[in-house]
Structure formats: C-alpha cells, structure tokens
Amino acid sequence: MTEVATGSKHSDNGSPAGAVAVDDPAKVRNVVLVGPSGAGKTTLTEALLATTGVLTRAGSVTEGTTVCDHDPAAVRQQRSVGLAVAPVQHGDIKINLIDTPGYVDFVGELRAGLRAADAALFVVNAFEGVDAATVTLWQECALVGMPRAVVITRTDHHRADFATEVIACQAAFGAGVVPLYVQEGDRLTGLLTAGENHPDERAALIEGIIAESEDETLMDRYLAGEEIDQDTLIADLETAVARGSFHPVVPVCAVTGMGLTELLDGIARAFPSPLEHEVPSVTSVDGIPQPRMAVDPDGPLVAEVVRTAVDSYVGRVSLVRVFSGTLRPERPVHVSGHGMADRGHEDHDADERVAHIYSPLGAALREVPYCVAGDLCALTKLTTAETGDTVSAPDQPLLMAPWDMPEPLLPVAVVPRTRSDEDNLARNLNRLVASDPTLRLDRNAETRQMVLWCMGEAHADVVLARLRAGGAEIDTEPVRVPFRETFAGPAKGHGRHVKQSGGHGQYAVCDIVVEPLPRGSGNEFVDKIVGGAIPHQFIPSVEKGVRAQLEKGLHDGTPVVDVRVTLVDGKAHSVDSSDAAFQMAGSLALKEAASIGRTRLLEPMDEVAIRLPDEHLGTVLGDLSGRRGRVLGTEADEGGRTVIRAEVPSSELLRYAIELRALTSGTGTFTRHFSRYDPLPEALAARASR
C-alpha cells in the first residue's frame, strides 16, 4: 500500500488521516450502509472514522459537521440526501464505507451504493423495530444475491432491547439472521470465541454457519461432538455471508464505542472482497457482448461512474468504481454513456484525460497514485462523464450494463423569474440532470412548461434548492395536462378565402365533412372532388391547411385528433387561385365545422401497475375509484404483495407518488405509461375550458 498526503479540504471535525492506495483487490471491502432515516448510518460512519484514526473526533448530524452529510441540503434537513464514501483502514484491509440516504425519495443514491458495493450492512436502531421500507430493501438485495449483515445501533437508548430487536430482525429478514455477539452491559461477548455462557446462542450460530456455508463434512464432525477450531468457523462464516444466505448481527453504540472494533473485525474477516463479486456484463459501445471480465488490476480497464457531484472548488467530481484494470493519472480514457435518452441523457462517447486520482472522504479529495480493480476513487474534470457512464481504455472502449434506476413520478413545473434567470436555469439544469439519473427534464412543447420529474417532495426540495443556489431565481406553477379535442359527431364546413386588392387576388373555396373516428385512429384526409371543381394541384394545399389547423387546434391550442376530413366540393379561379389561398380555405372550413358541430375534450389516460403489501389492497382500490380509475385486474406477487393494474386519468396522478406512499406507509410503488386519450367528463370539461 502507498500512503500520500491529504488534501487541504476537510470537514470541521478534525483533520482526516492520509489516503491509502491499495495494490490488491483482496485487501478491499466495499460496504454500503442501508437503513431508514434516523437509524444512525451517518453517526455510525463518523464513529468508525474516529475509531480508526481517520478523524480526531466524530462529527454531529444535528450540528452539520459530519463527513458524509456535507451537502447544504443534508445539513438543512438533518438527513442524508446523497451517497458519500468514507474509507477506513483496519489492519491491512481498506474498508470503503458507502453511506446512503434512508429516505425513499433518494433511492437512486441507494441503488448507486448497491452497485458500488460488494456487501450491505443493514442499520437498525435498537428500539424501533424494522419498518416495511427496510424489509423491501432487504428483499431487493436478496434478489440480486447481495451479501448482508445487520448492525443494531443506539444500544445506549433507554428503550433499547438488543434481544427483542434480534427477534424483530429475524421475523422481518428471515431465519438466516443470527447474532455474532451478545451484549452484556456495556461490552460484547463473541459467541464464536467466548460463548460458553451462552450455549444455545453459540450452538445456533455455529450450526447456522456450517449449514449456510454448505460444508457437509464439517457438519458431520460438529454433530459428532468434535470441537471445531475458530479459524475454520471464520472461514465458513465468510463463505456463508458471501453466499447471501447467512446474516450476522452485531450490536454497536456510536457514543460509547461498544462494538465498533468488533464490527470492523467482522467486515474485514467475514465480508467478501471484490474478487468474490461478479463483474457486471460488458459490451462494446456498439452493443457486441464481450467476455466476462475478471477483477484483475492488470486486466482491461472497466470502471463506472456511480455518482456525479459538482464541487465549488474543483468543478465536476465523478465517483468511480473500478471493476477491472487500474486507473492511473495522466492517462487517456474513453467515457461512454448509452441507453438513458429517455431520462435526458443522450448517448455520448468521448476520449478524455485523467489528470489526478483521489480517494474521497465525504467532500474531501485526497490524491492517490492509482486505483486498482475493486477499489473506489474520485476523478475530477471529466467534462462529459455522467452518472452511469463507463470509463474504459481508448483503444478498447466498453460499455457496462446499467443498473436498475427507479422512474421519477412526481412532476414539478418551474418558471424562471427573469430573462437572466433563464440562462442560469438552463446551465444548472444540464448539470443536475447529468449528475442525477432519477431526475428527468421534460420541456413540454404542448403545455409550454418546463417540468422536472422527481422522486418525491424531499427530492424536489433538494433539486429546487440546488437550482436557486446556482443563481437561478425560479418559481413553481401547477403542472398542466395536455388535452386533445375531437368531434362528437359529423359536421360540415365551408371555407371561402376571396380577396381582391389589385393585380393577382386570392381565390379559394372548399367544402368539407368532418367525422369522428375511433380513439387512436389518427387523422385522415379523403379527396372526393369530382368534375375538377378544385384543380388536382390544389387538393394537397387543402389537406395541408386542414392538417395544420388540426395540429394548431380549434380552441386554446388543443390539437384535434381522431377525425376524418373529407373534401367534397369547392371552386377555383383560373388566375387568382393559389397554394396559399387553398391552405387558408381548408383552415377556415375546419373552423366553421367546429363552430357548427359539437366537439369534446379528450384527456390522457395512463396504465399503472401498483405493487403493494396485501394489507393495503382495499385502501388503494378505494382510492383508485375516487380517481376515476378503472381496475383491469390484480395478481399475486412474491413477498405477500399484490400488483394492481388499472387505467387512471393522467391528471389524477400528478401527486400520486406522494399520496400512494401515504396510503401504504411508504411501502407501495407504481409505474405508469401512456395508454390513450378518452373523453373528459362534461362537468370537468366545462371547468377545464373556463
């Protein structure tokens, strides 16, 4: 390992120790801290930083002095709003602690942390039990085989009960959750090394380790009464944890320091190294599958940008997980980003140069000479790099399979206050969208609104605060839904455009019949002119005028859809008729048909899929009925959940991301996609047209 000097930028809770560059992936542990807000993830990270000597003293969440919660929004809300990395050294093992937000609005940061990590540490406090959202996260990790352990924090609280909390974790997470230590007053007793006074707990631990490591020979020896040596048990413990089926529990107290060293020992000795984590699949930039990569410092360079931030001192900072090869300074790299065009991230490829490589400690950047496969680092001034991009060698550009990102479902319409704010807003929006794949920008040409799609109110609050901090004075306004209009029945229209002003005049007359078509049919134009009433060359002119007016709309700029316009008669002048005159006549004929006939508004309908625990099914179905929703069906899903499929008006879903969360205690999720346009009820149509 190579130690270098620290950078000058750090938090106020003591000078951080020097950064370390690791040579061997086996000496790295990447651990993501997962759990609800208030569980104590950031406080635990601070305590571990102080315990290992990275900091001279731990910071405070309430005082805004922690390493990981350095974002102004995190300080203001007193909760994490973004992913942060805090490396510590324990013996010869480098542990990258990846602190993630616990609030559901920032689940994108959690997903990034899961991508960067090789194991997850679920943080649960000792007196509040396990909430449904944490169980959902546990199940997500189980689906991808992520190794997991549990740390029970705040054991000094007057309502703390470690034994009861273990039982709650077992009920929520499954029987594979087994204590590695027991708490006796203000100290811990290891069940593997000194658990003679707790024979039942020790037996359960040993039997669980042997069973989940699938070491059948060892099980036979144990059942025969043979005493198994500690090194063998620890080796099997690591195997069982790496399989993702055995989950040790460690109690800690960040205030007194109880359990911190034991937790570090457990991470170093029982958690898998990057060598045991399969590298995500890789293709060439044009989509050709490549052989599976190995975690090899000497292999082809493959790294991924898991988070992008903008630092007021150094500009854009890219947090990178190196999966293969070694990143070195003053070397060219290729940056590729594909498959995120629907989120506002257009496909891009560029060759750039890595100037310096840093080991991040929260916001602090400490320079290191290299970063090997399996480790995390920060790169600055990669001008094209966005979250989710692949960094590879220019002579062998590659693309990693993207990780699953949640869809932002809360729209917020923003308006700049002045012309100068427009420029600041555009500049800051581009930067925010590049850094946050859970933020989608929609410049809606129909409603003439700039809409930010966010994960929820807390996410929207952070996004708006960052825009304002960047110098853009903005306001929000109600999000408008793009309606359509159609004809309720057949109607006739007569268009006459005749002008004479000296020289060539303008002369065009046409008669049309407009009929409604079934939903989704589109617009049709039919020519039924006989006898040359309108010369052949002017028929396309009438169609052009009609289609332009359909697109422009008849009332308030609402486009007209699903109609057939039939041209049945007309008149022309041998000198004064022209393309422009017949375009105008077609437009006038359509307007007259609308004034004589009856039109109606159409509203967009979305098809939604709502996934929720069974106990909330009745509540959500009743709520859908109140939103004018039509339930298409329900189906059972794994984990005691149900999926509801329904059609709901888009206007009823504007705040559904928040309201569903309230209806289901934060456990319900949904997806939506446009289905079709349906007639808006007359009472609502009258209100919409005011």
Side-chain angles (χ1 to χ4, degrees):
M1 300 185 185
T2 303
E3 186 171 327
V4 298
T6 65
S8 59
K9 187 183 176 196
H10 58 79
S11 64
D12 294 331
N13 50 338
S15 297
V20 172
V22 178
D23 299 303
D24 183 0
K27 302 296 185 183
V28 177
R29 303 289 184 270
N30 296 309
V31 182
V32 59
L33 277 65
V34 179
S37 282
K41 299 184 298 297
T42 301
T43 300
L44 174 61
T45 302
E46 286 290 310
L48 292 172
L49 288 169
T51 296
T52 54
V54 178
L55 299 176
T56 57
R57 64 181 183 278
S60 165
V61 172
T62 56
E63 295 174 6
T65 57
T66 63
V67 164
C68 292
D69 286 352
H70 53 81
D71 190 295
V75 175
R76 186 178 71 254
Q77 296 187 13
Q78 293 194 3
R79 64 183 174 196
S80 300
V81 300
L83 177 155
V85 175
V88 300
Q89 194 72 30
H90 187 67
D92 63 346
I93 301 296
K94 178 186 179 183
I95 302 172
N96 288 316
L97 299 169
I98 305 169
D99 187 22
T100 62
Y103 195 63
V104 67
D105 277 18
F106 307 105
V107 67
E109 300 284 333
L110 170 62
R111 298 278 175 85
L114 293 173
R115 178 70 158 205
D118 303 306
L121 191 63
F122 274 71
V123 181
V124 180
N125 74 45
F127 55 90
E128 286 188 347
V130 182
D131 68 350
T134 304
V135 175
T136 300
L137 293 175
W138 182 276
Q139 293 168 345
E140 282 191 28
C141 290
L143 288 175
V144 298
M146 172 73 78
R148 283 147 286 151
V150 178
V151 57
I152 296 180
T153 61
R154 304 183 69 182
T155 54
D156 59 329
H157 194 277
H158 70 277
R159 290 195 290 117
D161 187 330
F162 174 68
T164 300
E165 201 63 33
V166 169
I167 294 171
C169 289
Q170 290 170 337
F173 302 147
V177 174
V178 181
L180 199 57
Y181 297 87
V182 293
Q183 182 180 354
E184 296 180 330
D186 59 355
R187 65 183 182 87
L188 299 185
T189 297
L191 292 174
L192 284 183
T193 58
E196 293 80 5
N197 294 331
H198 305 274
D200 293 340
E201 292 94 331
R202 187 170 192 269
L205 173 62
I206 294 174
E207 290 170 13
I209 291 173
I210 297 173
E212 297 301 336
S213 66
E214 299 183 4
D215 193 336
E216 295 180 4
T217 303
L218 191 61
M219 178 62 80
D220 292 339
R221 291 165 54 195
Y222 174 74
L223 293 176
E226 181 179 336
E227 185 67 28
I228 310 300
D229 66 273
Q230 183 180 329
D231 289 342
T232 301
L233 287 172
I234 290 175
D236 271 21
L237 171 62
E238 196 276 339
T239 301
V241 172
R243 288 180 184 274
S245 57
F246 184 80
H247 317 292
V249 182
V250 180
V252 303
C253 178
V255 176
T256 66
M258 184 198 72
L260 295 177
T261 300
E262 289 85 352
L263 177 60
L264 292 167
D265 285 341
I267 293 173
R269 302 182 71 179
F271 272 26
S273 76
L275 295 171
E276 299 165 81
H277 186 182
E278 190 172 60
V279 176
S281 59
V282 176
T283 68
S284 63
V285 293
D286 51 3
I288 300 173
Q290 300 295 300
R292 179 70 69 173
M293 294 287 180
V295 182
D296 181 2
D298 297 321
L301 177 62
V302 181
E304 188 172 36
V305 179
V306 294
R307 189 170 194 268
T308 308
V310 178
D311 187 280
S312 57
Y313 297 96
V314 297
R316 185 174 294 194
V317 179
S318 302
L319 177 64
V320 171
R321 161 78 189 250
V322 182
F323 286 95
S324 173
T326 300
L327 268 173
R328 299 186 185 277
E330 303 301 333
R331 301 285 179 88
V333 294
H334 184 84
V335 179
S336 295
H338 291 223
M340 292 281 286
D342 59 333
R343 299 288 184 94
H345 301 253
E346 297 299 326
D347 290 356
H348 54 276
D349 288 275
D351 287 341
E352 300 209 38
R353 190 173 189 83
V354 173
H356 301 280
I357 298 174
Y358 300 94
S359 174
L361 177 62
L365 299 177
R366 306 167 301 162
E367 190 166 354
V368 291
Y370 49 79
C371 183
V372 301
D375 205 356
L376 303 176
C377 66
L379 306 178
T380 59
K381 301 178 182 178
L382 290 183
T383 57
T384 62
E386 300 179 355
T387 301
D389 283 3
T390 303
V391 178
S392 56
D395 59 348
Q396 191 180 354
L398 299 169
L399 193 64
M400 299 196 76
W403 70 83
D404 183 35
M405 272 294 171
E407 186 72 20
L409 294 168
L410 177 67
V412 179
V414 296
V415 183
R417 290 183 182 174
T418 66
R419 181 62 62 86
S420 63
D421 290 322
E422 289 182 13
D423 297 334
N424 286 332
L425 179 60
R427 183 172 60 253
N428 282 281
L429 274 175
N430 292 334
R431 192 165 59 189
L432 280 178
V433 171
S435 65
D436 186 355
T438 63
L439 176 66
R440 178 160 58 89
L441 173 61
D442 178 17
R443 293 182 173 91
N444 195 308
E446 290 186 43
T447 63
R448 302 179 188 86
Q449 285 187 308
M450 185 178 295
V451 179
L452 298 174
W453 288 85
C454 304
M455 296 299 299
E457 283 187 307
H459 185 212
D461 178 62
V462 170
V463 169
L464 295 175
R466 287 173 177 166
L467 289 174
R468 290 171 178 134
E473 290 296 326
I474 54 174
D475 295 309
T476 61
E477 63 179 8
V479 176
R480 295 190 286 272
V481 173
F483 291 106
R484 295 289 185 270
E485 193 171 12
T486 194
F487 279 71
K492 295 181 179 179
H494 176 75
R496 174 183 172 85
H497 182 64
V498 178
K499 288 188 176 181
Q500 194 71 41
S501 56
H504 284 299
Q506 299 180 48
Y507 189 96
V509 178
C510 66
D511 292 283
I512 62 172
V513 175
V514 185
E515 305 164 272
L517 293 175
R519 296 286 76 77
S521 300
N523 294 326
E524 296 179 10
F525 181 85
V526 179
D527 169 24
K528 285 193 176 180
I529 291 293
V530 294
I534 297 177
H536 178 73
Q537 70 268 26
F538 293 132
I539 303 297
S541 303
V542 177
E543 180 178 1
K544 188 174 181 181
V546 166
R547 288 191 179 276
Q549 192 63 53
L550 289 171
E551 184 67 28
K552 188 185 301 181
L554 303 169
H555 307 97
D556 301 323
T558 303
V560 180
V561 298
D562 300 335
V563 296
R564 178 187 293 121
V565 178
T566 304
L567 179 61
V568 295
D569 200 1
K571 294 180 182 179
H573 190 277
S574 59
V575 176
D576 292 342
S577 290
S578 65
D579 169 67
F582 272 101
Q583 284 190 48
M584 180 62 71
S587 173
L588 292 172
L590 186 66
K591 288 181 178 179
E592 182 176 282
S595 66
I596 295 173
R598 191 166 68 90
T599 63
R600 67 183 311 174
L601 282 176
L602 304 174
E603 64 176 337
M605 301 290 293
D606 283 2
E607 185 171 324
V608 301
I610 306 165
R611 185 173 184 266
L612 72 165
D614 292 346
E615 61 262 29
H616 300 295
L617 183 60
T619 301
V620 172
L621 287 173
D623 178 74
L624 285 174
S625 176
R627 295 176 187 274
R628 299 186 287 123
R630 184 169 71 91
V631 176
L632 304 177
T634 62
E635 57 192 62
D637 198 18
E638 58 189 11
R641 290 173 172 260
T642 295
V643 175
I644 304 171
R645 302 194 183 278
E647 291 178 335
V648 186
S650 299
S651 60
E652 300 286 350
L653 295 173
L654 293 177
R655 295 184 60 80
Y656 197 57
I658 300 167
E659 290 153 352
L660 177 64
R661 196 177 295 166
L663 291 170
T664 62
S665 302
T667 59
T669 61
F670 78 105
T671 59
R672 60 185 283 187
H673 67 268
F674 172 75
S675 175
R676 64 182 183 281
Y677 278 90
D678 269 1
L680 184 67
E682 291 189 5
L684 295 177
R687 193 183 311 160
S689 60
R690 288 172 187 167

